[in-house]
Amino acid sequence: MSRIIVITSGKGGVGKTTVTANLGSALAQLGCKVALVDADFGLRNLDLLLGLEQRIVFTALDVLSGECRLDQALVKDKRQPNLVLLPAAQNRTKEAISSDQMRFLVNQLAKQYDYVLIDSPAGIESGFRNAIAPAQEAIIVTNPEMTAVRDADRVVGLLESESVRSIRLIVNRLRPEMIQLNQMISVEDILDLLVIPLLGIVPDDQKIIISTNRGEPLILEEKLSVPAIAFQNIAKRLE
């Protein structure tokens, strides 16, 4: 059975796309067949984080319009044979696709892949609703900041109203030294506010910025950094 998981947050800039790229790569390293779906129509960043921007020929909208087959639109990762990306169209708005069309695309992928990870756009408008439409599970990404946690709480309520049965949390960009100085919310306080199970914690690290700019997920480093090990552990917990 394929697992269809939406990675979402509500607030922009918390690191959803970084989590999607690294978690997908970590699952592929474990031998799982993984399809990543960029649901952020109009912006599209997942291809950049994977270093695949030059390989895109067709997008999800080309599949829906009949201009290509689904397998033609899938971009194979150059370093990981188990990982593919279905890119979003960069020159269209979030209204260019409907929830039913997103369900169709994801359900086709679910026939061939162990995991389908959907990178949700920021906000809670139509793009978000399209991204969560096919999902059975959700991973909420938040930073230890009050605005991000409040937005995450709103998204938890929306996911529950859409009958997403499993909702778990990743706390991203944690800085233990700031928590000790009472300058950042603790993980315990976040869990008290959101009341959903914790899937993992990813510490803040400048290597995340470097890997993003290079288009190479942290998980592919020869000497794994602490955030890369965190993503490996999250993948193992999912498995």
Side-chain angles (χ1 to χ4, degrees):
M1 276 292 291
S2 179
R3 292 174 68 180
I4 301 168
I5 307 174
V6 64
I7 296 171
T8 185
S9 68
K11 187 176 186 296
V14 297
K16 284 186 301 294
T17 305
T18 302
V19 168
T20 306
N22 281 283
L23 187 52
S25 297
L27 287 165
Q29 279 188 342
L30 292 175
C32 305
K33 291 182 70 182
V34 183
L36 305 181
V37 178
D38 193 339
D40 201 351
F41 288 81
L43 290 175
R44 192 175 85 190
N45 285 315
L46 191 50
D47 55 313
L48 289 170
L49 269 70
L50 294 164
L52 298 176
E53 66 276 9
Q54 301 299 329
R55 295 189 168 206
I56 294 173
V57 179
F58 298 110
T59 69
L61 288 185
D62 295 321
V63 179
L64 293 169
S65 67
E67 289 180 44
C68 70
R69 300 187 310 273
L70 179 59
D71 62 303
Q72 290 176 301
L74 294 176
V75 185
K76 292 181 174 63
D77 191 278
K78 51 196 173 190
R79 294 158 296 230
Q80 301 187 91
N82 287 337
L83 187 69
V84 298
L85 167 69
L86 179 61
Q90 205 168 13
N91 57 348
R92 305 291 275 278
T93 64
K94 290 173 176 59
E95 289 73 37
I97 187 168
S98 69
S99 296
D100 286 341
Q101 287 174 319
M102 183 64 87
R103 278 192 202 95
F104 168 77
L105 289 170
V106 169
N107 290 337
Q108 293 300 308
L109 289 170
K111 294 174 184 175
Q112 306 169 56
Y113 293 90
D114 302 316
Y115 284 87
V116 182
L117 303 185
I118 305 165
D119 184 22
S120 167
I124 53 170
E125 287 79 39
S126 61
F128 164 78
R129 295 188 183 279
N130 290 341
I132 68 171
Q136 308 153 340
E137 304 175 53
I139 294 172
I140 304 257
V141 181
T142 191
N143 299 152
E145 301 164 16
M146 208 59 225
T147 52
V149 175
R150 187 177 66 179
D151 286 357
D153 193 34
R154 176 88 191 277
V155 168
V156 170
L158 291 169
L159 288 165
E160 287 174 344
S161 71
E162 295 292 329
S163 304
V164 177
R165 64 170 185 262
S166 170
I167 305 169
R168 284 177 284 185
L169 177 70
I170 290 177
V171 179
N172 194 28
R173 296 185 187 146
L174 192 81
R175 295 190 180 186
E177 70 281 2
M178 289 183 73
I179 291 172
Q180 288 173 348
L181 294 168
N182 285 328
Q183 295 172 340
M184 187 173 265
I185 313 169
S186 71
V187 174
E188 290 76 14
D189 288 342
I190 294 170
L191 291 171
D192 284 344
L193 287 162
L194 296 182
V195 201
I196 56 173
L198 182 67
L199 184 60
I201 299 166
V202 182
D204 201 11
D205 195 306
Q206 65 184 27
K207 286 191 175 178
I208 294 171
I209 298 167
I210 296 165
S211 82
T212 299
N213 289 335
R214 283 183 180 161
E216 292 179 7
L218 288 164
I219 207 81
L220 300 178
E221 297 171 337
E222 280 185 33
K223 187 170 184 251
L224 290 182
S225 59
V226 177
I229 293 165
F231 283 120
Q232 268 191 345
N233 291 336
I234 292 167
K236 287 172 186 171
R237 282 183 208 119
L238 274 179
E239 273 290 272

